[in-house]
Amino acid sequence: MSFDKFFFIILTMEELEQKRVIGLMSGTSCDSIDAGLCNVYPDLSVELIKGINYEYPAFVREKIFKAFNNELSIEELCQLNFEVGECFANASNLLIREFGKPDIISSHGQTIYHYPFDVKEDNLSLKSTFQIGESSVISAKTGCLTISNFRETDIAYGGQGAPLVCFADKQWFKNSAIQNIGGISNVTVVSDDCLPFGFDTGCGNIMIDYCMKKFFGEPYDKDGEIAQSGEISEYWLNCLLEDEYYYNYPPKTTGREYFSPKYIENILKIAPEKKEDIIATLTALTAKSISQSYERFVYPNAHIDTVIIGGGGAYNKFLMKLLRRYLPKHLELKTHEDFGISNNYKEAMAFALLGYCTYYKIPNNVPSCTGANKSVVLGKITYAK
Ligand SMILES: Nc1ncnc2c1ncn2[C@@H]1O[C@H](COP(=O)(O)OP(=O)(O)O)[C@@H](O)[C@H]1O
Ligand SMILES: [Mg+2]
């Protein structure tokens, strides 16, 4: 029996209680803070009571993007940590006004930088990750115990600090690839054949969103309609699929640092002329990189019956159509909604679960997914005063 299972059984006997938890998540797309008020039960199932998408004020979002592009001073970054903390608190307070205080707020924070590489400087490791949204501000402005900074602990124990949602996926699903398509796309594989594993399959919506803004002045391709009206350039698609990231073996994670504006401007140099074709091909890239990564890293290791899509990409009809076309016919293609879990709030629900586990000292990383050398309790607790 694994250590965490053993630990969990001991704790279960020691009375875990149902808790009300607000899970807070903002991903690489930075489209909104997803706040989900949840009931978390002792069997580690989670029920969403109410979710809201709280948009950052435009000037905050602008600063976050500046931070992504390394265009903020340390002074501004210092301020932004507290500003974002206040936004997270405001999002929570909207729920609190309606439903009262939860037992726990569990905040992923806003990732500004993620560096999962084992590079050393004179024997000191540079592996690191940086999420902002100061938990002391969240706790002070809501009056709730706040749990935050999950990824750092996993990195400290030799992991990549990601993917963390695997922990929820392995509780909630069976024999499936659980594919999140946010800014970045990441998968968790849960199969009877092996320990759960997961990795980032590559780009999700980052490049689509970037080009929608650049060529159409829109934040994203609503329902995939522009992509649907274009034609996929097989030549450009195949060039893009040659990127070495797709060939690297898991565990692997990526982010905006890799699929940066510079990267996108570079690939646009050989893009098709019609802007609709660009969006269609980038959408195909997301779908094809997912299906190819399964061929390389999933099917040889694990039997799965179902692919379950979540995140904003699940609402892109053209992307879903392409996934159906590229994935083997015997696999069922579903979305989280088919399991009664919102595509929009799945990650907020997962962080509600992670926070619940931190509260009860239940190890909540999945070493087979992150590469950590130990199963540990992630996160830091800020008590309400
Ligand atoms: N109706 C929709 N049609 C197409 N794409 C959508 C739709 N809704 C959301 N998206 C895409 O999903 C992205 C947000 O997904 P999300 O899962 O919140 O990502 P992240 O975790 O990176 O914030 C948006 O930026 C957009 O590209
Ligand atoms: Mg989002």
Side-chain angles (χ1 to χ4, degrees):
M1 188 189 303
S2 69
F3 173 73
D4 61 333
K5 239 192 194 137
F6 174 72
F7 204 62
F8 177 57
I9 288 167
I10 298 276
L11 273 161
T12 314
M13 293 186 326
E14 229 189 63
E15 324 281 288
L16 298 184
E17 280 177 5
Q18 177 190 330
K19 294 281 178 202
R20 279 214 158 181
V21 186
I22 292 180
L24 295 172
M25 175 72 204
S26 178
T28 42
S29 301
C30 228
D31 53 327
S32 67
I33 298 168
D34 307 328
L37 175 67
C38 304
N39 279 329
V40 184
Y41 297 98
D43 66 355
L44 304 191
S45 62
V46 177
E47 173 197 27
L48 180 73
I49 300 165
K50 170 96 186 255
I52 52 168
N53 294 123
Y54 178 92
E55 280 187 26
Y56 282 118
F59 62 92
V60 174
R61 190 164 188 260
E62 220 167 274
K63 272 202 234 174
I64 295 171
F65 273 89
K66 271 186 157 179
F68 290 153
N69 297 331
N70 217 351
E71 291 165 1
L72 273 198
S73 66
I74 294 292
E75 178 188 357
E76 289 168 311
L77 190 57
C78 175
Q79 296 162 350
L80 187 62
N81 179 34
F82 277 61
E83 247 180 330
V84 169
E86 207 167 325
C87 294
F88 275 65
N90 291 345
S92 308
N93 278 332
L94 287 179
L95 289 169
I96 290 171
R97 225 165 282 151
E98 199 177 339
F99 297 93
K101 277 191 198 177
D103 302 298
I104 302 166
I105 292 180
S106 178
S107 173
H108 169 268
Q110 177 68 56
T111 297
I112 293 298
Y113 208 83
H114 186 66
Y115 188 82
F117 309 106
D118 243 330
V119 175
K120 291 217 163 56
E121 186 177 56
D122 200 10
N123 246 346
L124 300 175
S125 176
L126 295 179
K127 208 183 203 189
S128 52
T129 189
F130 188 33
Q131 282 77 44
I132 63 168
E134 180 50 50
S135 60
S136 303
V137 175
I138 303 175
S139 168
K141 292 212 175 279
T142 59
C144 299
L145 179 145
T146 301
I147 300 178
S148 63
N149 301 84
F150 294 89
R151 299 193 189 275
E152 289 91 324
T153 320
D154 186 78
I155 290 195
Y157 284 89
Q160 298 218 345
L164 298 188
V165 172
C166 294
F167 182 79
D169 289 332
K170 83 180 171 87
Q171 311 295 337
W172 299 344
F173 302 107
K174 265 186 156 326
N175 292 321
S176 302
I178 302 102
Q179 180 73 50
N180 179 59
I181 309 180
I184 294 293
S185 287
N186 54 282
V187 67
T188 306
V189 181
V190 181
S191 167
D192 291 338
D193 295 342
C194 57
L195 288 172
F197 64 98
F199 57 93
D200 289 350
T201 52
C203 229
N205 294 296
I206 283 184
M207 300 213 268
I208 302 171
D209 287 359
Y210 182 94
C211 291
M212 281 303 297
K213 184 125 194 259
K214 184 179 169 96
F215 298 117
F216 295 91
E218 297 286 340
Y220 66 100
D221 181 17
K222 189 155 189 332
D223 302 337
E225 276 174 11
I226 301 283
Q228 173 76 49
S229 72
E231 228 173 83
I232 297 167
S233 156
E234 293 297 333
Y235 170 75
W236 195 42
L237 175 60
N238 287 327
C239 290
L240 299 179
L241 285 166
E242 280 308 305
D243 189 294
E244 63 172 351
Y245 181 79
Y246 304 119
Y247 291 88
N248 293 340
Y249 275 79
K252 58 176 178 175
T253 55
T254 187
R256 275 192 188 278
E257 307 74 30
Y258 191 79
F259 295 106
S260 62
K262 200 166 147 201
Y263 181 102
I264 306 171
E265 288 298 337
N266 221 8
I267 61 165
L268 283 174
K269 287 181 189 151
I270 53 158
E273 255 173 46
K274 266 185 74 188
K275 48 195 189 175
E276 289 81 3
D277 297 353
I278 293 178
I279 304 298
T281 310
L282 291 175
T283 308
L285 174 67
T286 296
K288 196 78 184 223
S289 59
I290 289 171
S291 71
Q292 284 190 345
S293 76
Y294 291 6
E295 284 158 25
R296 288 180 191 138
F297 312 121
V298 178
Y299 309 141
N301 298 307
H303 163 84
I304 55 166
D305 305 317
T306 315
V307 175
I308 306 163
I309 309 292
Y315 299 113
N316 184 324
K317 292 186 183 129
F318 187 64
L319 178 57
M320 290 299 287
K321 196 163 109 183
L322 290 178
L323 279 166
R324 184 59 287 173
R325 188 186 299 167
Y326 296 149
L327 288 168
K329 294 292 155 281
H330 70 274
L331 290 182
E332 276 198 83
L333 183 62
K334 296 193 166 175
T335 73
H336 282 72
E337 317 261 334
D338 295 318
F339 295 83
I341 297 171
S342 158
N343 292 327
N344 227 336
Y345 299 107
K346 145 80 187 294
E347 294 208 318
M349 290 166 73
F351 274 89
L353 174 63
L354 288 172
Y356 177 90
C357 291
T358 306
Y359 181 84
Y360 280 112
K361 302 197 188 83
I362 300 168
N364 50 359
N365 65 338
V366 184
S368 55
C369 290
T370 64
N373 53 39
K374 222 175 168 183
S375 184
V376 290
V377 180
L378 305 176
K380 296 176 185 169
I381 299 180
T382 306
Y383 290 99
K385 306 293 183 287

